[in-house]
Amino acid sequence: MTVFHFFNCAILTFGPHAVYYSATPLSEYDTLGTSVKAALVYLGTTLVKLVCLATFLKVSENDSFDPSQELLKALIGFVDVAGLYFALTQLTHRNISQNHKFQAIGLGWAFSDSVLHRLAPLWVGARGLEFTWDYILQGVEANANLVFSISLAALGSLMWLRKNKPKTLIPIIYVCAGIVASMPSITSYLRWGLGWHFSKVVGFQLITSLVIAFISWQLFSACQKPYA
């Protein structure tokens, strides 16, 4: 039963990444190499963030919400945006379209995040004797993060790669990108500042990710139209 629960949670956590790759044109255009490069950039970005967190953050003795520390975390979290910028603009990619490029990078980014932050807890905890919903919720959270990552990559491609876009949409693109980049701090505030239960936070992430994905899709479609 414990092994069965572990595999269920693992499929829920990592399965959507494989489904997204195989069910979209990404597999037809062989963009796996781009996703792997993005995953490696994510690992490097995470290392930089860990060094910054260890250098500038004070060690808290409890889980209470500290606004100054959370603000510093949010600022350090924008290192992810710099890493995504590098992945989108500086890495060499096969001759693929902008549409496929941001999806491949977002997919690799999200998969690397899930492996780094959720594989070990799953392996240690989901095989326990006592059933808990926490690891199922972590799987749902990983799905929301997948949507967030692809949305942020889409917004990033509009900001940095799409030169000819309607000027009226530029502020909306930057606001949406800022919201997605700040999402870890927002969820931390909901969890520790307002005392939301983990399931409620995951529900908020899931709903917000779908809203952001819809807005990003509309923005990307609008920027694809000919604009003088």
Side-chain angles (χ1 to χ4, degrees), residues 19 45 72 78 85 91 95-96 130 139 162 168-169 179 187:
V19 171
T45 302
L72 187 56
F78 275 86
Y85 171 83
L91 290 181
N95 189 23
I96 57 177
E130 184 178 352
R162 186 76 180 184
T168 55
L169 297 181
I179 291 173
T187 54

Side-chain angles (χ1 to χ4, degrees), residues 114-131:
S114 291
V115 171
L116 198 61
H117 293 102
R118 297 178 181 88
L119 181 59
L122 271 179
W123 179 255
V124 174
R127 297 185 305 130
L129 295 177
E130 184 178 352
F131 175 83

Side-chain angles (χ1 to χ4, degrees), residues 49 70 77 80 145 179-189 205:
K49 285 200 303 182
E70 290 299 325
D80 278 334
N145 184 68
I179 291 173
V180 178
S182 304
M183 192 53 61
S185 298
I186 294 173
T187 54
S188 178
Y189 173 71
Q205 288 178 288

